[in-house]
Amino acid sequence: MSSPTEDQIREALAAVTDPDSGQDVIAAGMITGLMVKDGNVGFAVEVPPEKGRAMEPLREACEKAVDAVPGVLSVTAVLTAHNEAPKGPGQGGAQGGGQGGGHSHGEGHSHGPAKGQESGPPEIPGVKAIIAVASGKGGVGKSTTSVNLALGLALTGRKVGLLDADIYGPSVPRMLGITGRPHTSDGKRLVPMENYGVKAMSMGFLVAEDTPTIWRGPMVMGALEQMLSDVDWAPLDVLVIDMPPGTGDAQLTISQRTPLTGAVIVSTPQDIALLDARKGLNMFRRVDVPVLGIIENMSYFLCPSCGERAEIFGHGGARAEAEKLGIEFLGEIPLHMDIRTTSDGGRPIVMSDPDSPHAQAYQKIAIRVGEQIDARLASAAGAGPKIVIQ
Ligand code: ADP
């Protein structure tokens, strides 16, 4: 049987009525990010934040309606809650994506900077700063760095949260040694999980593990907004977001729709050579998010038996590249087995062996990132002229 078309799916969804507005869900503009691929269908149902999970029956009704379309092999609908943010430039794409017949990914390309403008994304009450940890591609150690950076920031006395937005490979709960699922106190808001004094949530909790990768990008925004607005993060000094790897549409949209204080780019020496890190930098510049600096991961190899340092990837590229690009070089982390075993085993090195040279390397970076955050916050609060940090 041939794969159903988007129009057929929309037609089926048009038979589902939103009990609130009395309109069908298509007419009400509630369906976004519709993807149809070889009979597999995915989409988000956008509901007002205060309704949250009370709209679960509507989500189920949507899934059921689509499931009945001939040729549909699987349906995944996720409930997403949007804050009624002012819809300025760069803010309207997701809604439009559900109605205009096209996919919602790719939105935002033609839009200008959102930060620092009246129409920028809404702040999260009680969360003082948000930083994104990004990479040009997967496997460079972005999650490992996010976790150790978050713990390092916590060791400086800050209240820290860690949001795992890496929908392609959510690993933060495992790295923080967290198991189970988040609870809800009142059926609407989620209580973040916690370990080592750091609050943590993963979008992996909202996007089912078997969701095909192709849908994850379009789903990311709804899930992200839910993770930002429906989770009891406050009070936090800093929320660290472990971004999905790469610099595509999902990453661009997150950067545009999150009130980011700044971003940190994780890169390996080879990655620098391939200019992947530069793509990350350009992405943040495009949406006017300050890049706080570059971290070089797997910078050099420290032999666990003899302690010899070998620069197998030609160490030092990130520092030179950062200089060339005019951004700060935050530091380098060696390639070492202990870093892998501790983070993969749920005992990140910054906590499990804080005096080790690797933990110290992370800690130094965390201290510098903390200083950068404080400077940005002071400057945003209008304490005199804008501080430009080199
Ligand atoms: P990403 O988030 O960029 O995909 P991860 O943080 O998941 O990458 O790291 C990929 C793998 O590399 C993991 O097994 C991790 O433990 C390991 N790893 C990351 N950084 C280091 C390092 N500096 N030394 C040794 N192993 C590392």
Side-chain angles (χ1 to χ4, degrees), residues 148 151 155 196 338-339 341-343 346-356 359:
N148 281 293
L151 292 171
L155 287 180
Y196 306 117
D338 289 352
I339 295 178
T341 50
T342 49
S343 62
R347 298 172 296 110
I349 198 147
V350 166
M351 281 294 161
S352 58
D353 193 2
D355 293 330
S356 67

Side-chain angles (χ1 to χ4, degrees), residues 137-144 166 171 175 297-298 333-336 339-340 343-344 362:
K137 62 170 191 209
V140 303
K142 175 184 50 55
S143 299
T144 310
D166 186 351
S171 49
M175 287 187 178
N297 188 36
M298 310 191 194
I333 306 292
L335 175 69
H336 196 281
I339 295 178
R340 197 193 66 70
S343 62
D344 290 354
Y362 282 119

Side-chain angles (χ1 to χ4, degrees), residues 133-143 168 242-249 251 264-268 270-272 274-284 294-295:
V133 179
S135 64
K137 62 170 191 209
V140 303
K142 175 184 50 55
S143 299
Y168 304 101
D242 181 14
M243 295 277 280
T247 50
D249 295 331
Q251 293 80 355
V264 169
I265 295 174
V266 180
S267 170
T268 61
Q270 315 94 298
D271 176 30
I272 284 286
L274 294 169
L275 295 183
D276 279 338
R278 199 183 279 226
K279 280 191 226 151
L281 182 67
N282 287 338
M283 179 184 78
F284 288 116
I294 292 188
I295 299 170

Side-chain angles (χ1 to χ4, degrees), residues 62-373:
C62 290
E63 261 189 9
K64 215 167 140 199
V66 172
D67 204 30
V69 176
V72 168
L73 301 176
S74 76
V75 194
T76 309
V78 291
L79 213 48
T80 71
H82 266 285
N83 263 336
E84 273 314 307
K87 297 242 185 279
Q91 298 272 322
Q95 295 282 1
Q99 295 163 6
H103 303 312
S104 70
H105 67 275
E107 71 201 52
H109 272 296
S110 56
H111 299 312
K115 296 287 166 323
Q117 297 179 359
E118 291 294 309
S119 57
E123 303 287 319
I124 304 169
V127 177
K128 290 189 192 150
I130 306 180
I131 58 164
V133 179
S135 64
K137 62 170 191 209
V140 303
K142 175 184 50 55
S143 299
T144 310
T145 308
S146 303
V147 167
N148 281 293
L149 177 62
L151 292 171
L153 284 164
L155 287 180
T156 66
R158 291 176 171 83
K159 289 196 183 67
V160 180
L162 179 55
L163 171 51
D164 181 6
D166 186 351
I167 33 162
Y168 304 101
S171 49
V172 164
R174 177 173 47 85
M175 287 187 178
L176 276 179
I178 290 173
T179 50
R181 300 224 137 218
H183 296 285
T184 169
S185 45
D186 57 0
K188 292 185 204 118
R189 299 187 61 80
L190 289 168
V191 180
M193 330 259 309
E194 191 167 335
N195 201 8
Y196 306 117
V198 167
K199 291 180 184 166
M201 284 296 279
S202 173
M203 280 166 52
F205 296 138
L206 293 190
V207 181
E209 251 173 60
D210 54 0
T211 306
T213 307
I214 187 161
W215 297 332
R216 293 184 170 231
M219 283 180 179
V220 67
M221 269 328 297
L224 180 87
E225 285 182 4
Q226 205 170 343
M227 280 295 180
L228 291 175
S229 57
D230 297 350
V231 171
D232 288 330
W233 291 111
L236 280 190
D237 293 311
V238 53
L239 177 63
V240 176
I241 301 187
D242 181 14
M243 295 277 280
T247 50
D249 295 331
Q251 293 80 355
L252 185 69
T253 313
I254 293 178
S255 316
Q256 215 169 23
R257 311 245 311 239
T258 311
L260 291 174
T261 313
V264 169
I265 295 174
V266 180
S267 170
T268 61
Q270 315 94 298
D271 176 30
I272 284 286
L274 294 169
L275 295 183
D276 279 338
R278 199 183 279 226
K279 280 191 226 151
L281 182 67
N282 287 338
M283 179 184 78
F284 288 116
R285 288 208 167 138
R286 207 154 128 200
V287 292
D288 211 17
V289 171
V291 172
L292 306 181
I294 292 188
I295 299 170
E296 187 172 85
N297 188 36
M298 310 191 194
S299 180
Y300 50 92
F301 177 65
L302 266 186
C303 173
S305 47
C306 70
E308 199 198 332
R309 173 174 166 141
E311 304 189 339
I312 42 181
F313 301 127
H315 144 259
R319 185 186 290 276
E321 187 70 12
E323 249 166 47
K324 218 186 314 169
L325 296 170
I327 52 173
E328 179 163 335
F329 180 68
L330 290 166
E332 55 199 25
I333 306 292
L335 175 69
H336 196 281
M337 191 122 80
D338 289 352
I339 295 178
R340 197 193 66 70
T341 50
T342 49
S343 62
D344 290 354
R347 298 172 296 110
I349 198 147
V350 166
M351 281 294 161
S352 58
D353 193 2
D355 293 330
S356 67
H358 320 309
Q360 292 292 321
Y362 282 119
Q363 193 55 39
K364 218 173 113 204
I365 292 171
I367 289 170
R368 182 58 196 141
V369 169
E371 287 169 359
Q372 289 246 34
I373 292 170

